[in-house]
Amino acid sequence: MNQLQDATALSHRPDATRAVHSRRSALYVPANNHRAMQKAATLACDAIILDLEDAIGPDDKPSARMAIKDWFGAGRPPHMACIIRVNALSSPWGMDDLVMAADCAPDAILLPKIETPSHIRAAQKALDDLNTAAHTRLWAMIETPRGLVNCQQIADTGMETDGRLDCLIVGTNDLAKETGVDLAEGRHLITSWLMQIILSARAAGLDVLDGVYNNFRDLDGYRSECEIGRSMGFDGKTLIHPSQIDTANAAFGATVEALAEATAIVAAFALPQNSGKGVIQMDGKMVERLHLEQAEKLLAKSKDRYGL
Ligand code: COA
Ligand code: MG
């Protein structure tokens, strides 16, 4: 690789200064369900996604849009991220949704059925033209065959100057519908797709959340899917029912032991005798600076969660 190519590659590395957030559990809340919207603000999930898309029928879209505006107007809960899922910008409702969402200045706007980088850039330009608050990020759903094959280019828009993309969400129900894959016996047939989405997110320094588990009365199956999702590398899970929150928080959160270990690693590298060292030993185990970075990220995530 020559010097010019090398410099180009380095300038495209993910931004290591990106804010760290706890995103163990993100609950969809249909924006036409007043009771659920009121309840959502009292729950222990890390994020709520007020939904104008799949959960809302065509006739209810305008009133659901107004309900979100009123909900934000009454004061959003401070202890959770508040996200609005709009309809696709190519749909009859998408642009009106986006204008309302920009006005609410949520933590993020979730764009469904993203298939190319141009979809992200179009939303970004519209938000910039509306003078949308800088803290309002974009999240993107990867849930179509084309979105899947273009996932890396989509994720990379998060590294562009003033790029708002922060997080990818897998839409497993739509993926199954669009591809014909049968998920009745579990997700083994789509594991490679899920890993590809996680890889694309990581290459661009983004967070990535797993799809929903439809059978919300099957808590054992749900717990198992959360634990596997955590092992695969997802940051958290999207949820459809309040009964799913605690399990996601436990599966994707850090244990007391992991937090204690992270604290010990940070303390060890802070000792004068270890300053500048690339590798140390703790209790007979090799600990490198990459472990220090992991420990710092874990602690930052739990700090975000508890609002300390
Ligand atoms: N967010 C907030 N509160 C919710 C909720 C949600 N997603 N789902 C249910 N609740 C509340 C109900 O309002 C009810 O509250 P209450 O005790 O104060 O009356 C309580 O939780 C128990 O609800 P339950 O009776 O068990 O469920 P339901 O039959 O009312 O609703 C669903 C079941 C699946 C229709 C509902 O959970 C739902 O709409 N989920 C989200 C669907 C969605 O957004 N899909 C699109 C993205 S995949
Ligand atoms: Mg969908």
Side-chain angles (χ1 to χ4, degrees), residues 28 53-54 85 112-113 141 143 170-175:
Y28 285 105
E53 200 224 10
D54 285 343
R85 181 162 78 167
K113 301 184 178 68
M141 302 223 46
E143 53 185 343
V170 185
T172 33
N173 284 333
D174 271 293
L175 267 179

Side-chain angles (χ1 to χ4, degrees), residues 250-286:
F252 292 95
T255 60
V256 173
E257 293 77 21
L259 287 174
E261 189 185 18
T263 305
I265 290 174
V266 171
F269 271 102
L271 291 172
Q273 63 267 34
N274 291 335
S275 87
K277 280 193 184 168
V279 59
I280 59 175
Q281 75 89 16
M282 281 176 63
D283 301 329
K285 271 199 300 191
M286 175 183 79

Side-chain angles (χ1 to χ4, degrees), residues 54 143 170-179 181 183 190 211-214 240:
D54 285 343
E143 53 185 343
V170 185
T172 33
N173 284 333
D174 271 293
L175 267 179
K177 169 177 166 266
E178 297 295 325
T179 59
V181 70
L183 300 181
I190 62 164
V212 299
Y213 190 83
N214 296 330
I240 52 169

Side-chain angles (χ1 to χ4, degrees), residues 50 52 64-66 68-70 72 82-87 89 93-111 123 126-127 130-133 135-138 164:
L50 301 169
L52 289 168
R65 193 183 299 131
M66 289 313 297
I68 292 183
K69 195 174 165 53
D70 291 347
F72 272 89
C82 298
I83 321 296
I84 298 173
R85 181 162 78 167
V86 296
N87 288 282
L89 294 195
W93 314 282
M95 202 37 96
D96 288 343
D97 290 351
L98 197 74
V99 171
M100 177 280 297
D103 194 38
C104 293
D107 296 292
I109 295 171
L110 174 57
L111 303 169
L127 292 180
L130 290 162
N131 293 318
T132 307
H135 76 256
T136 297
R137 315 306 297 169
L138 283 174
R164 289 183 191 251

Side-chain angles (χ1 to χ4, degrees), residues 38 55 74 124 145 213 279 290 297 305:
Q38 297 308 309
Q124 211 152 259
Y213 190 83
V279 59
L290 68 92
K297 189 167 180 190
R305 180 179 323 145

Side-chain angles (χ1 to χ4, degrees), residues 102-175:
D103 194 38
C104 293
D107 296 292
I109 295 171
L110 174 57
L111 303 169
K113 301 184 178 68
I114 291 299
E115 301 203 307
T116 68
S118 64
H119 287 167
I120 300 288
R121 293 193 191 108
Q124 211 152 259
K125 179 166 185 324
L127 292 180
D128 292 345
D129 290 348
L130 290 162
N131 293 318
T132 307
H135 76 256
T136 297
R137 315 306 297 169
L138 283 174
W139 291 12
M141 302 223 46
I142 305 298
E143 53 185 343
T144 64
R146 190 157 294 279
L148 194 56
V149 297
N150 288 333
C151 191
Q152 191 61 65
Q153 294 98 296
I154 293 167
D156 285 349
T157 62
M159 293 192 292
E160 292 170 358
T161 310
D162 297 329
R164 289 183 191 251
L165 188 65
D166 243 12
C167 184
L168 301 182
I169 294 186
V170 185
T172 33
N173 284 333
D174 271 293
L175 267 179

